[in-house]
């Protein structure tokens, strides 16, 4: 988002907590959004509180818990330090999370490997399209990595192309247990973070990134707070709660003399 008196753009954060039916139909989503902040501590704290509040009120059998993101540093750190250690707020039992690396971010690494192996052109496109299909099949990530290794040995990569290939290859190899898309799809687990990606557009792009806009962080956060209340469908409830904070609402008026009224009218 554009920040006044800062760099041209700084990275803000958006998060979603979504409830899906057994068939994968979205039943509801709560949105969170915060202005740029190093390591996103506010987002981590508020997201943790939201998850715990949902589980505290959930009276039915515990739903399947999934964490769907790309594999960025902040997202990985949150999973390692918070979600893996989180206990149920009522029972105290350790919660089990299914972590999913977003399919479209994984596909970006396929394109990086394809262009490193074959250059830009039809050969790279054909290979990537085939790998994308394999990635969605049982044990697909193994087949993808095997194919990539075979072509690397055959083509003998050097220099920048070799560096780009291994950067993408190691990204996928280190995260193979989070890339089981066929198993996810079979039980209704989302393979992509489309809800959160869409939130970036509806929360930020449509309101804070219009032509010529520059924001101070405090002012931008005020707008973000209002937008997430509206998008989450809790505007009326939040408005009623806010009104209950005020017992006696008084509207100040100006008691002007007749002379001042005439001067004002003139």
């Amino acid at each position: 988002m554009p920040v006044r008196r800062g760099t041209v753009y700084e990275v803000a954060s958006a998060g979603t907590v979504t409830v899906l039916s057994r068939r994968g139909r979205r039943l509801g989503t709560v949105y969170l959004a915060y202005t740029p902040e190093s390591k996103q501590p506010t987002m981590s704290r508020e997201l943790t509180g939201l998850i715990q509040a949902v589980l505290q009120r959930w009276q039915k059998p515990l739903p399947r818990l999934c964490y769907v993101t790309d594999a960025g540093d902040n997202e990985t750190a949150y999973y390692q330090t918070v979600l893996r250690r989180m206990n149920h707020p009522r029972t105290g039992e350790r919660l089990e999370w299914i972590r999913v690396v977003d399919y479209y971010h994984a596909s970006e690494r396929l394109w990086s490997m394809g262009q490193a192996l074959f250059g830009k052109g039809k050969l790279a496109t054909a290979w990537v399209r085939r790998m994308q299909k394999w990635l969605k099949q049982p044990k697909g990530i193994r087949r993808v990595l095997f194919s990539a290794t075979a072509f690397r040995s055959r083509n003998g990569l050097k220099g920048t192309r070799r560096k780009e290939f291994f950067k993408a290859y190691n990204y996928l190899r280190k995260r193979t247990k989070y890339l089981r898309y066929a198993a996810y799809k079979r039980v209704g687990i989302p393979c992509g973070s489309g809800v959160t990606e869409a939130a970036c557009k509806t929360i930020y792009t449509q309101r804070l990134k219009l032509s010529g806009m520059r924001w101070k962080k405090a002012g931008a956060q005020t707008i973000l707070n209002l937008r997430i209340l509206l998008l989450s469908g809790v505007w009326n409830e939040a408005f009623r709660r806010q009104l209950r904070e005020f017992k006696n609402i008084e509207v100040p008026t100006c008691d002007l003399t007749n002379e001042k009224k005439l001067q004002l009218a003139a």
Side-chain angles (χ1 to χ4, degrees), residues 147-166:
S147 176
T149 301
F151 279 109
R152 179 190 61 80
S153 300
R154 182 185 305 177
N155 296 348
L157 301 181
K158 296 181 180 180
T160 302
R161 291 177 63 178
R162 177 184 175 87
K163 180 179 179 181
E164 292 298 320
F165 173 86
F166 276 107

Side-chain angles (χ1 to χ4, degrees), residues 181-195:
Y181 298 118
Y184 300 150
K185 186 177 180 180
R186 189 165 56 248
V187 295
I189 296 175
C191 296
S193 56
V195 175

Side-chain angles (χ1 to χ4, degrees), residues 96-116:
E96 294 185 7
W97 290 85
I98 300 172
R99 187 182 177 189
V100 181
V101 171
D102 175 57
Y103 171 79
Y104 298 98
H105 283 84
S107 292
E108 290 179 354
R109 272 62 185 186
L110 296 179
W111 283 106
S112 297
M113 288 195 298
Q115 292 177 4

Side-chain angles (χ1 to χ4, degrees), residues 23-265:
R23 297 183 178 182
R25 185 170 66 88
R26 183 153 61 112
L27 303 178
T29 301
V30 177
Y31 297 83
L32 294 175
Y34 294 96
T35 52
E37 190 178 29
S38 177
K39 298 184 180 180
Q40 303 174 356
T42 303
M43 169 61 77
S44 298
R45 182 175 62 254
E46 296 299 324
L47 180 58
T48 302
L50 176 58
I51 294 172
Q52 291 177 337
V54 171
L55 293 175
Q56 179 71 36
R57 297 187 180 186
W58 191 274
Q59 300 299 325
K60 298 180 181 180
L62 187 66
R64 184 182 291 115
L65 302 176
C66 310
Y67 182 60
V68 187
T69 65
D70 61 12
D73 293 338
N74 290 324
E75 293 82 359
T76 301
Y78 181 74
Y79 175 76
Q80 296 288 349
T81 60
V82 179
L83 292 184
R84 289 187 62 183
R85 303 176 182 180
M86 184 180 291
N87 296 326
H88 195 289
R90 281 191 290 106
T91 65
E93 297 180 359
R94 182 63 57 89
L95 298 174
E96 294 185 7
W97 290 85
I98 300 172
R99 187 182 177 189
V100 181
V101 171
D102 175 57
Y103 171 79
Y104 298 98
H105 283 84
S107 292
E108 290 179 354
R109 272 62 185 186
L110 296 179
W111 283 106
S112 297
M113 288 195 298
Q115 292 177 4
L117 290 170
F118 306 103
K120 295 182 179 180
K122 294 182 179 181
L123 286 177
T125 300
W127 183 82
V128 171
R129 296 301 186 195
R130 186 167 64 253
M131 296 303 103
Q132 287 177 325
K133 293 180 180 179
W134 285 6
L135 198 57
K136 293 181 179 180
Q137 298 175 0
K139 299 182 180 180
I141 183 59
R142 295 184 181 180
R143 298 177 65 189
V144 169
L145 295 178
F146 180 82
S147 176
T149 301
F151 279 109
R152 179 190 61 80
S153 300
R154 182 185 305 177
N155 296 348
L157 301 181
K158 296 181 180 180
T160 302
R161 291 177 63 178
R162 177 184 175 87
K163 180 179 179 181
E164 292 298 320
F165 173 86
F166 276 107
K167 181 179 179 180
Y169 180 90
N170 289 329
Y171 177 95
L172 297 176
R173 181 182 60 82
K174 293 178 181 179
R175 298 166 176 82
T176 55
K177 60 182 179 180
Y178 309 133
L179 303 173
R180 297 176 288 116
Y181 298 118
Y184 300 150
K185 186 177 180 180
R186 189 165 56 248
V187 295
I189 296 175
C191 296
S193 56
V195 175
T196 306
E197 297 295 335
C200 295
K201 179 179 179 180
T202 56
I203 296 174
Y204 289 100
T205 305
Q206 293 179 353
R207 181 62 180 86
L208 302 185
K209 297 175 67 176
L210 301 181
S211 178
M213 283 187 171
R214 289 292 183 272
W215 294 87
K216 291 184 178 179
K217 292 183 180 180
Q221 189 60 56
T222 299
I223 299 298
L224 291 176
N225 292 342
L226 296 175
R227 288 186 70 77
I228 61 176
L229 287 175
L230 182 62
L231 292 171
S232 300
V234 296
W235 178 277
N236 292 335
E237 176 62 23
F239 186 71
R240 285 193 294 267
R241 289 189 180 187
Q242 188 66 24
L243 283 181
R244 286 197 291 267
E245 297 292 328
F246 302 96
K247 295 183 179 180
N248 296 314
I249 301 177
E250 297 181 0
V251 179
T253 58
C254 296
D255 185 15
L256 299 177
T257 63
N258 291 333
E259 183 179 356
K260 289 185 177 180
K261 288 182 180 179
L262 292 175
Q263 292 176 352
L264 184 63

